Amino acid sequence: MSAKAIREYDGKRLLTEFLSTRGASWTGRQVLITPETDLEALPGTYPWLKECKLVAKPDQLIKRRGKGGLITLNCDWDAAKAWIKERMEKEVEADNVKAELNRFLVEPFLPHEQKEEVYICIQSTREGEEFLFHHEGGVDVGDVDAKAKRMVNPIGATPTEEELTAALLTELTPDAQAPVAKFISQLFQMFTQYHFVYLEINPLVVKENVCFPLDMAAKIDETAHFECEKVWGDLEFPAPFGRAPHPEEAFIHGLDAKTGASLKLTILNPKGRVWLMVAGGGASVIYADTVTDLGFGKELANYGEYSGAPNETLTYEYAKTVLKLMTNEPDAEGREKVLIIGGGIANFTDVAATFKGIVRALTEFRDRLTAVKAKIWVRRAGPNWQEGLKLMKQTALNLDLPIRVHGPETHMTAVVSYALGLSEPKPAAAAAGYGPSKQEANQGMFTNQTRAIIYGMQLQAVQQMMDFDYLCKRDKPSVAAIVFPFSGDHSQRVYWGGKEVMLPCYSKLETALRTHPDVSVMVNFASYRSAFASTMEALSHSGQIKTVAVIAEGVPERQTRMLIKEAERRCVNFIGPATVGGLQPGAFRIGNTGGAIENIVACKLYRPGSVGYVSKSGGMSNELNNIISRNTDGVAEGLAIGGDRYPGTRFLDVLLRYEQNPNIKMLVLLGEVGGTDEYDVCEAIKTGKITKPLVAWCVGTCAKCFSFEVQFGHAGALARSQMETAHAKNEAMAEAGAHVPSSFDTFGDKINEVFQKLLDEKVVCPEEEPEPPQVPMDYSWAKKLGLIRKPAAFLSSIVDERGEELTYAGMPISKVFEEDIGIGGVLSLLWFRRRLPAYAAKFIEIVLMVTADHGPAVSGAHNTIVTARAGKDLVSSLVSGLLTIGPRFGGALDEAATMFANAFDTGVSAESFVNNMKKENKLIMGIGHKLKSIHNPDKRVTIVKDFAKKHFPSTEILDFALAVEQVTTKKKANLILNVDGCIACAFVDLLRSCGHFTRQEADESIAHGTLNGLFVMGRTAGFIGHFLDQKRLKQGLYRHPVDDINYIVEEAGSPTAGFGGSA
């Protein structure tokens, strides 16, 4: 979920549209003016502009416009117009930032008295919607938080007007209470139905029992777009005042909207020296934090992320955008520019695959990177990270670029210090090497007997869970079944160790639960569109399901809060949304948590340790696995609660459970900017509810360097007050008694420090490390890593559909259309594996056109028609026609080409060739026509011949054939070079003279049947035409007329029986 501010114009527009269908007395009138607006013509569209006094003000998310002199009141249209013109596209200072004014709101002026102004605000909370009301509103309302009457309406409930009056409106006169209560009730309905998260009206004027909203500020949950697109209309989410939107940001936002991956880009300082290209929402904040914590905040150029396994093309476009911005101009002081390609340890993203897109961009921008003296630092890990880092190292050599590459052995943010020249790279410290401590059985949320249902066809996640189970030496897999509503009940093949087993897949959750009564967990991979309904269904089975994890990002906030309420009512653990899940080493794993098996082994997640951690970020949870395994005896349990503003499970819920678990000796919390859940943890420490040592850190400390509001990677990562800043929360946790490092850069050191104290105090007593278990590697993964090889079943050299886009002979399909190579060009790629000249492609198309059809009487068309009239389908009818093609129909092209080419190559004259064929009693293929003659030439032959003569470098075979025609037509006028012969000879000339084939390749192409292929392809179009024609004409079953058949029937025993009789 993501709360986005909207313009006052849009807020009032939505309110006007909503109230207009409910008989409200107030119907708003407003117009938004931009630099493109024709001010002179505007009254023609909005006559009221000249009929009443007006208010004009900027509409760009500026606070306190009245006090800043950015409003004009009680003026006519001419005065308002002049006031707007004077300020349009002029820079002003407001909210401590300078920016250009370019949007103005104009609406009718309402004369009123101060006493008629009130204040109303509705904002969403975890529990429901909170109303704030004060009977005195306006610019001098003061501290509303302290003054206002409050009322919290539980999620899912609708307050009555009586309840609103009693809780909020007691200071109003009796006459005013009723209209205000009705207005607030309607406002609330719009708030919930249109997925608002914040709506403030100050002042709301109550005049003659009618409510008039004068000034409005509002935020909407952007993720509800799929539900509210129609009622929202053309809704704009403008950038904060002081931040001009950049086209590059809009481009990345457009890419993000079209993919299930996450692509974010915020340009902070286009002239900045330090640029980031970071994978992961949590990691992206931490890298920005580290840059600012090290004193380089003013040089930080951008903030952003690419995550969720974007494909190579998306990663390329993202990287290209960042590199273009970075290399637009050199540093003003001539210093080096720095690019940090960073990220945590991925859970499921193929690192090498995403790096391919980045390498493409680096290759394209190599010269520009050199020009700005760019130095590049890489730190990444996760599935296939070894290949990814190897690719980066090779790229450094190929491009001669200064690229330094690090993997999981290096602390995630250490490369920032290296890149900024504050420290030198040093060999990574060895992992702590502590063995596991003694554990009590059946502690924690899960056990090694916990079983789950996976909702959604996520076979990779299923296999990841089962491989984890096998590593942990479970008796049976944790995955009992898959539920996939879009297919019937069936089974899917998965592996249990090295053994292939069948996993049941059901179309209904109820059936799956009834069949598998030992299931107590559902891992929900449904999309954000269907996550709500499927999770509600799971919660209805709370007698069996005790934990639900919702993986999807983008679930609307209101739906999430309803799920939280229902889960609490039914006493079900609700993890998510927007989470990778969690794990309990040695027992259970949710989905892809922990990443690839190599990482599970490296982080010792196959057996429990003594540390319980909780994180908002799923990607950072894997990094925590790495940090904790390197500095302690390992993880006892880890949970990523999700990055949304209202996660189903809160930090305190998890930490209190860890407090009660005797196997967990120390706690780790990784919070972030936004929200106040960390303060609940502070209170729990102070009151003694949490006694175990807690190492804690909140990411997002970089926010203090920005002069405008920044929405970080997660939907909940936005400070709405000083109290929600990372800096304030870190201070509060340190004050409460948590162990808080100076930055994330020293997070691992602080964890090690606390663990060492537990060792010294004998709270933790590690034993010998067990031998890591082995899991057979999937064949496909082993092949990708280059560990195995096998001969292919067959070879293909013309098409590759495996990459980001289809390629024909190496040419991307997009380029096929961009360069408009036509069907002739496509055939040149598919048939000859090379791009032929434009005239050659055109010739192929001419051949297809002239051979497309020759009427219904020829054998192929006749067969097609007869089959179609027998009621057969298109393919059957087409095949019946194609099967007639051979030496007597259409198949003469190949033989004609061979015959004329061989004759020419031997040096024989045309006359000798004709005489030799006569002596051998052989027909000359390509010579002769039933209807056409030297006096009545075939136009098709003329078209082919003229094109070849005009465009081909050489037509020696065609010229020889025409010389043969001169000989044969002296004998009989219809012994002309026919279309088959003309095409055949011209095609041989094309192959031999175009410069793209050796003589051997040209001869092989003819021998392989290429010419017949052209005839088949061309005539296919005609046969299909005949089929469609017969269907369109509704022709019935064909029966050949009897009078067109010569019946030759002899009486049995006749001397001539069996010899054909007489004609």
Side-chain angles (χ1 to χ4, degrees):
M1 61 195 176
S2 183
K4 292 290 186 71
I6 61 173
R7 298 193 189 279
E8 182 178 2
Y9 167 79
D10 280 320
K12 288 182 174 177
R13 173 181 63 82
L14 292 176
L15 181 58
T16 300
E17 293 168 359
F18 185 85
L19 294 180
S20 66
T21 62
R22 288 160 176 79
S25 301
W26 174 80
T27 53
R29 293 180 295 180
Q30 55 272 330
V31 60
L32 185 67
I33 294 174
T34 73
E36 292 76 34
T37 302
D38 185 346
L39 294 177
E40 304 307 320
L42 205 59
T45 306
Y46 304 97
W48 54 266
L49 288 171
K50 288 193 171 184
E51 297 170 356
C52 63
K53 294 294 185 177
L54 303 171
V55 175
K57 51 190 172 183
D59 192 3
Q60 294 176 233
L61 310 184
I62 303 172
K63 300 173 183 176
R64 295 173 288 277
R65 290 169 295 188
K67 290 189 174 182
L70 294 177
I71 188 168
T72 184
L73 303 169
N74 196 20
C75 60
D76 60 20
W77 170 239
D78 289 335
K81 186 169 57 175
W83 187 86
I84 291 170
K85 284 182 176 180
E86 184 181 339
R87 289 159 180 78
M88 180 66 78
E89 298 186 288
K90 300 293 193 303
E91 187 178 83
V92 301
E93 184 171 348
D95 299 340
N96 298 317
V97 293
K98 291 182 179 181
E100 184 182 276
L101 297 179
N102 52 34
R103 297 290 187 279
F104 288 86
L105 175 64
V106 178
E107 54 191 352
F109 171 71
L110 178 69
H112 65 278
E113 298 180 29
Q114 174 73 37
K115 65 181 182 181
E116 294 173 313
E117 294 183 348
V118 300
Y119 173 93
I120 178 64
C121 176
I122 308 175
Q123 57 188 5
S124 63
T125 67
R126 185 181 181 88
E127 293 74 24
E129 283 73 38
E130 182 180 30
F131 296 85
L132 285 79
F133 181 86
H134 195 251
H135 64 284
E136 295 175 343
V139 293
D140 296 317
V141 67
D143 186 357
V144 175
D145 284 339
K147 289 182 177 181
K149 289 183 179 292
R150 297 172 180 265
M151 170 184 170
V152 176
N153 181 71
I155 184 73
T158 301
T160 65
E161 292 178 23
E162 292 74 19
E163 290 171 335
L164 291 169
T165 301
L168 303 173
L169 311 181
T170 55
E171 299 291 334
L172 294 182
T173 64
D175 289 343
Q177 287 178 353
V180 174
K182 182 177 181 180
F183 179 82
I184 294 176
S185 176
Q186 293 175 329
L187 194 67
F188 170 80
Q189 292 173 46
M190 183 193 73
F191 186 95
T192 55
Q193 291 178 31
Y194 288 8
H195 286 264
F196 279 75
V197 297
Y198 180 84
L199 180 56
E200 178 189 66
I201 300 175
N202 181 39
L204 175 69
V205 171
V206 186
K207 189 177 182 69
E208 298 175 358
N209 295 333
V210 178
C211 294
F212 299 88
L214 297 196
D215 280 329
M216 177 186 289
K219 292 184 179 182
I220 273 183
D221 181 6
E222 184 189 22
T223 61
H225 181 267
F226 72 95
E227 284 206 330
C228 298
E229 181 179 8
K230 289 184 178 179
V231 294
W232 283 355
D234 187 15
L235 188 62
E236 181 186 3
F237 297 106
F241 184 70
R243 262 208 82 240
H246 294 268
E248 293 84 359
E249 293 174 338
F251 173 69
I252 296 300
H253 182 76
L255 292 180
D256 181 63
K258 299 171 186 175
T259 175
S262 180
L263 302 171
K264 303 288 188 295
L265 178 64
T266 300
I267 300 170
L268 305 173
N269 175 12
K271 298 182 182 296
R273 194 168 67 88
V274 182
W275 291 80
L276 302 178
M277 196 183 301
V278 181
S284 63
V285 185
I286 290 173
Y287 275 93
D289 280 355
T290 307
V291 172
T292 57
D293 291 343
L294 294 175
F296 287 76
K298 290 184 178 180
E299 298 191 48
L300 181 60
N302 70 310
Y303 164 77
E305 63 160 303
Y306 67 95
S307 58
N311 61 34
E312 181 182 330
T313 300
L314 286 173
T315 312
Y316 162 71
E317 292 292 348
Y318 185 87
K320 185 173 72 170
T321 303
V322 173
L323 294 179
K324 179 184 175 184
L325 288 164
M326 177 183 176
T327 59
N328 272 339
E329 56 183 302
D331 179 68
E333 299 177 20
R335 297 171 298 174
E336 299 166 341
K337 287 200 173 183
V338 173
L339 173 64
I340 299 172
I341 302 173
I345 301 175
N347 286 292
F348 54 87
T349 299
D350 185 331
V351 173
T354 57
F355 273 8
K356 286 179 182 177
I358 296 175
V359 166
R360 281 176 59 191
L362 290 173
T363 303
E364 186 175 322
F365 282 80
R366 186 259 177 202
D367 292 341
R368 291 179 58 163
L369 287 165
T370 302
V372 298
K373 303 177 184 178
K375 287 196 171 181
I376 302 169
W377 294 79
V378 179
R379 193 277 185 181
R380 193 72 167 106
N384 210 10
W385 66 272
Q386 296 96 332
E387 287 299 309
L389 299 192
K390 187 189 300 182
L391 176 63
M392 278 294 181
K393 290 176 181 177
Q394 188 60 48
T395 301
L397 295 174
N398 294 344
L399 302 181
D400 192 24
L401 285 174
I403 304 177
R404 302 291 294 272
V405 181
H406 297 266
E409 75 288 345
T410 302
H411 183 69
M412 191 180 90
T413 54
V415 292
V416 178
S417 178
Y418 303 159
L420 299 177
L422 301 178
S423 63
E424 288 294 322
K426 52 189 177 183
Y434 303 111
S437 300
K438 192 173 182 180
Q439 303 280 317
E440 295 185 23
N442 299 323
Q443 299 292 327
M445 182 181 288
F446 309 115
T447 72
N448 59 9
Q449 299 301 311
T450 299
R451 303 203 77 203
I453 280 174
I454 306 301
Y455 193 98
M457 192 58 70
Q458 291 286 328
L459 294 180
Q460 179 183 351
V462 169
Q463 190 61 64
Q464 294 262 48
M465 291 177 68
M466 294 185 69
D467 287 345
F468 179 83
D469 299 338
Y470 191 80
L471 272 175
C472 296
K473 301 180 180 179
R474 283 181 55 128
D475 296 332
K476 58 182 178 181
S478 62
V479 181
I482 297 172
V483 172
F484 188 61
F486 307 105
S487 68
D489 293 357
H490 63 286
S491 295
Q492 289 285 341
R493 294 187 298 176
V494 293
Y495 285 98
W496 177 245
K499 179 183 177 183
E500 197 170 34
V501 296
M502 303 305 290
L503 186 68
C505 181
Y506 303 93
S507 59
K508 293 183 178 180
L509 177 61
E510 183 179 4
T511 305
L513 291 173
R514 185 173 61 249
T515 309
H516 303 278
D518 57 342
V519 163
S520 61
V521 176
M522 187 178 95
V523 182
N524 191 353
F525 282 96
S527 74
Y528 63 87
R529 292 175 179 268
S530 57
F532 177 74
S534 52
T535 305
M536 275 295 193
E537 182 186 5
L539 293 175
S540 70
H541 296 279
S542 57
Q544 182 174 347
I545 291 182
K546 299 304 178 185
T547 300
V548 177
V550 178
I551 308 302
E553 288 191 54
V555 178
E557 179 183 295
R558 183 167 178 78
Q559 292 184 353
T560 296
R561 292 183 296 144
M562 293 173 71
L563 290 173
I564 291 171
K565 180 179 179 180
E566 185 67 7
E568 289 175 350
R569 187 177 76 83
R570 292 180 175 273
C571 298
V572 174
N573 296 315
F574 176 36
I575 305 170
T579 181
V580 71
L583 52 72
Q584 193 166 324
F588 186 81
R589 167 192 197 180
I590 296 174
N592 295 302
T593 313
I597 288 300
E598 297 88 346
N599 191 64
I600 296 292
V601 174
C603 295
K604 305 174 184 177
L605 299 175
Y606 50 83
R607 52 79 170 165
S610 301
V611 182
Y613 74 78
V614 59
S615 165
K616 275 232 172 190
S617 167
M620 287 307 302
S621 70
N622 217 7
E623 194 64 39
L624 287 177
N625 291 329
N626 183 44
I627 293 172
I628 291 170
S629 71
R630 288 179 172 275
N631 291 283
T632 72
D633 66 350
V635 176
E637 185 178 333
L639 192 65
I641 62 174
D644 281 357
R645 191 150 67 113
Y646 303 120
T649 300
R650 288 177 285 194
F651 288 140
L652 185 61
D653 302 329
V654 180
L655 293 176
L656 289 178
R657 187 164 52 75
Y658 290 171
E659 178 74 19
Q660 300 302 314
N661 186 338
N663 293 331
I664 295 177
K665 308 301 183 183
M666 68 175 281
L667 316 175
V668 172
L669 182 153
L670 186 63
E672 66 183 18
V673 60
T676 58
D677 286 354
E678 288 86 350
Y679 292 101
D680 295 334
V681 176
C682 294
E683 187 62 25
I685 296 173
K686 291 176 182 178
T687 58
K689 292 182 180 178
I690 293 178
T691 60
K692 294 177 181 178
L694 169 66
V695 180
W697 179 252
C698 275
V699 306
T701 55
C702 61
K704 62 181 181 288
C705 294
F706 307 145
S707 59
F708 47 83
E709 186 180 84
V710 175
Q711 172 72 59
F712 291 105
H714 297 140
L718 174 66
R720 292 160 181 81
S721 67
Q722 175 61 29
M723 187 179 181
E724 294 190 16
T725 64
H727 181 73
K729 291 195 281 188
N730 284 328
E731 279 191 344
M733 288 191 293
E735 184 182 332
H739 300 269
V740 179
S742 58
S743 71
F744 184 82
D745 220 20
T746 58
F747 197 45
D749 297 335
K750 182 63 70 173
I751 289 172
N752 182 264
E753 176 188 315
V754 173
F755 185 75
Q756 287 296 330
K757 187 176 180 182
L758 294 178
L759 285 174
D760 295 342
E761 295 172 353
K762 305 297 184 183
V763 175
V764 176
C765 301
E767 299 177 349
E768 186 177 349
E769 183 69 49
E771 185 70 22
Q774 296 291 321
V775 172
M777 185 178 291
D778 282 349
Y779 171 79
S780 58
W781 189 248
K783 188 176 180 182
K784 179 177 282 192
L785 295 178
L787 301 178
I788 57 172
R789 62 188 181 191
K790 74 179 269 293
F794 61 86
L795 305 177
S796 175
S797 63
I798 58 172
V799 177
D800 192 345
E801 79 287 3
R802 297 169 300 170
E804 298 304 320
E805 64 174 311
L806 179 70
T807 62
Y808 293 162
M811 187 176 192
I813 190 68
S814 58
K815 195 173 181 182
V816 167
F817 285 93
E818 288 169 9
E819 300 190 11
D820 194 21
I821 67 173
I823 189 65
V826 169
L827 288 185
S828 74
L829 295 173
L830 295 179
W831 289 17
F832 305 114
R833 297 189 305 168
R834 65 204 73 188
R835 177 86 177 271
L836 296 181
Y839 70 82
K842 181 63 178 176
F843 180 73
I844 291 173
E845 293 176 3
I846 289 173
V847 172
L848 296 179
M849 289 188 280
V850 300
T851 60
D853 199 59
H854 202 218
V858 298
S859 59
H862 181 83
N863 266 24
T864 301
I865 292 170
V866 171
T867 309
R869 291 179 61 173
K872 300 291 283 185
D873 60 279
L874 186 147
V875 173
S876 301
S877 304
L878 173 62
V879 168
S880 71
L882 291 175
L883 288 175
T884 65
I885 295 175
R888 296 185 180 182
F889 170 59
L893 279 84
D894 283 341
E895 196 169 347
T898 302
M899 191 175 286
F900 280 112
N902 287 343
F904 174 81
D905 292 340
T906 59
V908 69
S909 68
E911 187 170 0
S912 298
F913 170 66
V914 173
N915 291 334
N916 291 339
M917 295 300 289
K918 183 177 181 181
K919 289 177 184 178
E920 296 175 15
N921 199 25
K922 289 183 179 180
L923 294 174
I924 302 176
M925 292 298 177
I927 293 289
H929 199 285
K930 189 172 183 180
L931 301 177
K932 301 295 181 180
S933 69
I934 192 72
H935 308 296
N936 178 29
D938 189 338
K939 289 293 184 184
R940 297 178 297 170
V941 173
T942 303
I943 291 168
V944 172
K945 179 177 65 176
D946 290 350
F947 184 88
K949 288 284 190 181
K950 182 178 180 180
H951 295 284
F952 290 6
S954 170
T955 56
E956 54 189 15
I957 305 299
L958 177 59
D959 292 341
F960 178 77
L962 291 172
V964 170
E965 181 188 53
Q966 294 297 316
V967 176
T968 56
T969 52
K970 289 178 181 178
K971 301 178 183 295
K972 197 171 183 181
N974 69 337
L975 293 178
I976 59 172
L977 180 65
N978 59 35
V979 69
D980 290 354
C982 186
I983 290 172
C985 294
F987 200 77
V988 175
D989 284 327
L990 173 64
L991 295 180
R992 289 186 176 187
S993 67
C994 71
H996 289 263
F997 300 89
T998 64
R999 176 64 179 273
Q1000 181 181 352
E1001 288 174 330
D1003 292 345
E1004 285 180 351
S1005 291
I1006 299 300
H1008 292 159
T1010 303
L1011 277 165
N1012 271 356
L1014 285 173
F1015 182 83
V1016 168
M1017 188 169 183
R1019 196 51 59 95
T1020 293
F1023 290 170
I1024 292 174
H1026 285 297
F1027 171 85
L1028 297 174
D1029 187 50
Q1030 295 302 306
K1031 294 297 184 182
R1032 183 167 48 247
L1033 297 173
K1034 297 181 172 56
Q1035 294 297 287
L1037 180 67
Y1038 175 80
R1039 181 180 176 86
H1040 200 73
V1042 172
D1043 60 5
D1044 194 34
I1045 302 173
N1046 185 2
Y1047 292 90
I1048 304 172
V1049 181
E1050 298 287 348
E1051 184 178 346
S1054 168
T1056 58
F1059 291 95
S1062 64

